[in-house]
Amino acid sequence: MDTIGSLTLVMVLAPAAAIILIMLIRRPRVAEGLNLLASAISLVTILGILVSPRQGDLTFWDSYVIIDGFGTWTILCAAIVYFLASIYAIGYMRMLGEEARLHRFYAMFAGFGLSTLVGPMMNNAGLYWIAIELTTLISTFLVAFEREAASIEAAWKYIIVVSAGISLALLGTVLFYWSGTFALGPTYDMTWKTLQDAAPRLNPALVSLSFLLVLIGYGTKVGLAPMHTWLPDAHSEGPAPVSALLSGALLNTAMVGIVRYLGVADAAGISGLARGTLLALGAFSLFVAALFIVRQKGIKRLMAYSSVEHMGVIALGFGFGGPLGIAGALYHMLNHSLNKSAMFFGAGAIMRAYETKRIPSIRHVMRHLPVLGGLWLAGAVAITGAPPFALFLSELTIIRAGLSGSKYFLVGLMAVLLIIIFVGFLNHFRQMYFENGETEPEKVISVSLWCLVPMWLALIPLLVMGLWWPQALWDHFQTIAHALDTTTIAETVR
């Protein structure tokens, strides 16, 4: 096994070993330390994989595991969020008074992190489906961890809605396999490359039906509207570090399946239907997010609908395709992962400090919590796509992709909806920072340094990457674009 294979094995084994040790030792302080160590090892190893020289895609373990540009980029996003959320969890979970159950939380948290790392490297479409289903099963218990009525209800809604969607994805996967039997025989290895190579010989009607089922199924897990109904409840009722991992890692992991199947659809000659449907879902997600963000009253539900918005933006980027669309979508995946993690970290700390989830009851944040308030406000400006933060660059790149593809209506609609979201989102922060509320809190609980450090670690890179898009990243995105986009010749346009 070469260096990259060894690093991949270590990346997977670190959280797996943490789960075993946590359940054996069963001490909360040891559990939080083991989980943090595992997340740090996972992040270091994926960085090592990214900088290690390699020629093309690599496969391991009888081609069940693939290390390619798109997969490793998605794993990087998940590993960063897993690491930041593990730091934050130490400060946040200590405030819940659940010392006797903390070891169980960290064991499941490490398992959830592991599942988001494993999903993008699955080279078999069936195994990828299993990995996504595994994320559902683990995260359901994390959403319900606080054992309040609202969190238990959210967990039930989450597993029912997402399982329904994943069932459709399974049906689509089976139909894809069936369509392949007419060209490849009754049995074959259902790798992504095998499907894409065989796609021109597949029945277009059957591939169209299969793709639509997969898009709806995995689109449910991504949180694309109108299949997004689980997301506001699960994100808002789970513990804040879980919300960060759901939004910043899980949604990207589920997007991997859509993008890989999109390549198969392109090769099968149905790119018009496939990309048109993806673009429609992306635009509708922005529309739904705009409606609910403007009139939102719950602090974490506000962040959840922002996730619906940004998954819609990423869907538009991949739907537009080409070097600009794919580069913008990939950059937005990382930027959103960092930014939304910081926003959920801030929301969780504010919620505990003020002992409320309601926006009208949170007032004068900067006066009571100046450091946290400053970081959270900076994150709010960044998450709306305002300069000089990185989401402005990634959204602008996606808009340029739409214009270069003559998608003028979609670009105009996207721009209008982003402006509405900008105004509506920041209006809530104006109220929380500068207006008098229903009641003035007698005492605001102080926030641990464990909760502040990961916000700094998320926001500083967002500012740097908003001012400077490294050429190495652009080159990496172009390599991925050549591999993903089969409908256009990826010309380096900048």
Side-chain angles (χ1 to χ4, degrees):
M1 184 179 294
D2 60 11
T3 302
I4 294 180
S6 300
L7 289 172
T8 303
L9 186 60
V10 172
M11 179 179 66
V12 172
L13 288 179
I19 296 169
I20 296 172
L21 291 173
I22 288 170
M23 293 308 295
L24 287 175
I25 299 173
R26 303 171 70 89
R27 294 181 180 177
R29 298 297 167 262
V30 175
E32 63 190 23
L34 286 171
N35 176 68
L36 179 58
L37 177 62
S39 67
I41 292 173
S42 297
L43 178 56
V44 170
T45 51
I46 187 59
L47 288 172
I49 292 171
L50 282 170
V51 300
S52 297
R54 68 174 187 270
Q55 296 294 328
D57 302 339
L58 299 178
T59 57
F60 302 98
W61 298 294
D62 294 328
S63 296
Y64 286 121
V65 171
I66 185 170
I67 299 298
D68 64 343
F70 181 46
T72 52
W73 182 256
T74 309
I75 294 171
L76 173 65
C77 296
I80 290 173
V81 177
Y82 177 33
F83 174 66
L84 295 177
S86 295
I87 299 174
Y88 178 83
I90 295 176
Y92 182 86
M93 297 307 294
R94 289 179 182 178
M95 294 189 287
L96 299 187
E98 294 283 0
E99 292 292 304
R101 296 194 301 131
L102 271 188
H103 68 281
R104 298 175 188 170
F105 170 84
Y106 283 110
M108 290 188 293
F109 196 75
F112 188 24
L114 174 60
S115 65
T116 62
L117 299 175
V118 167
M121 67 174 71
M122 292 293 98
N123 193 33
N124 182 286
L127 289 181
Y128 172 78
W129 181 90
I130 293 174
I132 293 299
E133 179 65 9
L134 185 61
T135 64
T136 304
L137 296 175
I138 299 173
S139 55
T140 297
F141 292 100
L142 288 170
V143 170
F145 181 78
E146 296 184 25
R147 297 194 296 192
E148 297 178 355
S151 60
I152 293 174
E153 180 184 352
W156 273 110
K157 185 175 183 179
Y158 170 49
I159 195 169
I160 290 172
V161 174
V162 171
S163 294
I166 291 298
S167 297
L168 292 178
L170 177 60
L171 178 58
T173 303
V174 171
L175 289 179
F176 261 115
Y177 186 87
W178 182 43
S179 66
T181 61
F182 296 103
L184 302 172
T187 60
Y188 62 94
D189 293 331
M190 198 180 179
T191 64
W192 302 114
K193 187 176 188 306
T194 299
L195 281 175
Q196 191 161 324
D197 290 345
R201 295 177 285 163
L202 304 183
N203 183 285
L206 189 55
V207 174
S208 298
L209 175 60
S210 304
F211 177 80
L212 291 176
L213 287 170
V214 167
L215 176 59
I216 295 172
Y218 289 131
T220 303
K221 198 64 181 280
V222 171
L224 295 176
M227 298 86 67
H228 70 289
T229 52
W230 65 270
L231 190 148
D233 292 308
H235 283 46
S236 63
E237 298 302 334
V242 176
S243 300
L245 205 54
L246 280 169
S247 184
L250 176 62
L251 303 187
N252 288 338
T253 300
M255 183 66 77
V256 168
I258 293 176
V259 176
R260 293 201 191 278
Y261 275 115
L262 184 63
V264 178
D266 288 340
I270 61 164
S271 58
L273 170 69
R275 291 183 179 273
T277 308
L278 182 58
L279 288 171
L281 291 177
F284 190 63
S285 298
L286 279 172
F287 175 72
V288 170
L291 290 179
F292 282 91
I293 283 175
V294 169
R295 300 186 60 83
Q296 194 52 242
K297 299 297 181 184
I299 182 174
K300 289 180 71 180
R301 292 180 73 88
L302 178 66
M303 308 305 153
Y305 279 108
S306 175
S307 295
V308 175
E309 170 209 350
H310 288 287
M311 287 302 107
V313 171
I314 292 171
L316 287 172
F318 285 121
F320 289 147
L324 288 172
I326 293 175
L330 293 171
Y331 208 36
H332 205 75
M333 287 170 69
L334 175 62
N335 296 336
H336 175 254
S337 293
L338 287 168
N339 207 158
K340 191 50 61 63
S341 296
M343 293 309 294
F344 272 116
F345 296 158
I350 293 290
M351 185 181 71
R352 292 297 164 186
Y354 279 80
E355 298 182 329
T356 182
K357 297 178 181 179
R358 300 188 69 252
I359 291 175
S361 299
I362 300 171
R363 290 296 184 263
H364 304 297
V365 174
M366 194 71 80
R367 178 193 303 171
H368 297 291
L369 299 165
V371 177
L372 174 62
L375 291 171
W376 202 39
L377 182 59
V381 173
I383 202 67
T384 58
F389 294 98
L391 274 84
F392 173 76
L393 276 184
S394 52
E395 288 180 353
L396 182 62
T397 304
I398 291 172
I399 288 175
R400 289 176 60 195
L403 293 175
S404 66
S406 300
K407 302 292 193 300
Y408 301 119
F409 174 77
L410 280 176
V411 170
L413 179 63
M414 175 182 174
V416 170
L417 292 174
L418 287 177
I419 292 172
I420 293 173
I421 291 171
F422 172 85
V423 174
F425 197 92
L426 290 184
N427 182 56
H428 293 301
F429 276 77
R430 178 188 61 80
Q431 295 169 1
M432 289 188 288
Y433 278 68
F434 304 112
E435 284 189 3
N436 294 322
E438 298 171 340
T439 59
E440 188 71 18
E442 297 179 1
K443 181 182 179 181
V444 174
I445 301 172
S446 61
V447 177
S448 168
L449 192 62
W450 288 106
C451 296
L452 295 176
V453 169
M455 294 184 70
W456 282 106
L457 294 177
L459 290 172
I460 290 175
L462 281 172
L463 178 60
V464 173
M465 293 190 300
L467 298 172
W468 171 56
W469 187 327
Q471 183 63 38
L473 274 185
W474 178 261
D475 295 339
H476 185 61
F477 293 157
Q478 295 311 293
T479 302
I480 298 175
H482 277 283
L484 290 181
D485 198 339
T486 61
T487 62
T488 62
I489 299 175
E491 303 174 354
T492 303
V493 179
R494 196 175 185 183

